[in-house]
Amino acid sequence: MLFLISSAPDTKEFKTAFKMAKDMDADICLLQNAVYASRGSDDKTLYVMSDDTKLRGLGENEVSGRLIDYSQLIDLMTDTDKVAG
């Protein structure tokens, strides 16, 4: 399963979705304001949208996780049985 999370890390929605994904051992893709959660994280299993990090002024060295672009996101979504957003 793949979770797409776009809410900012300080919101209830982000915390609920992130915990649920972790409890289910699902893959997580951070996009939009959720990319801020990748700063300083030691979680290397995250997928992080590179365009969204650039738009928010985050450098590659500030982001933990695997930077991906939209074509790679589409590949992830099509290769996954279920996608939750």
Side-chain angles (χ1 to χ4, degrees), residues 5 11 13 19 23 27 36 41 43 51 56 67 79-80 84:
I5 304 177
T11 63
E13 292 80 11
K19 182 181 180 334
D23 289 347
D27 292 328
Y36 289 118
S41 170
D43 192 342
D51 287 349
R56 285 153 182 83
L67 288 171
D79 292 342
T80 303

Side-chain angles (χ1 to χ4, degrees), residues 30-41:
L30 302 176
L31 54 142
Q32 298 175 359
N33 284 337
V35 299
Y36 289 118
S38 69
R39 288 189 300 184
S41 170

Side-chain angles (χ1 to χ4, degrees), residues 15-77:
K15 292 173 185 169
T16 301
F18 195 81
K19 182 181 180 334
M20 186 182 300
K22 286 296 192 180
D23 289 347
M24 296 176 71
D25 197 30
D27 292 328
I28 301 170
C29 180
L30 302 176
L31 54 142
Q32 298 175 359
N33 284 337
V35 299
Y36 289 118
S38 69
R39 288 189 300 184
S41 170
D42 59 355
D43 192 342
K44 301 294 183 189
T45 62
L46 296 174
Y47 295 100
V48 183
M49 294 302 298
S50 61
D51 287 349
D52 290 334
T53 60
K54 290 175 190 170
L55 286 170
R56 285 153 182 83
L58 298 176
E60 287 184 23
N61 58 341
E62 294 179 79
V63 176
S64 296
R66 180 174 170 204
L67 288 171
I68 62 171
D69 60 24
Y70 281 98
S71 66
Q72 290 169 307
L73 175 60
I74 292 168
D75 290 341
L76 280 173
M77 291 171 63

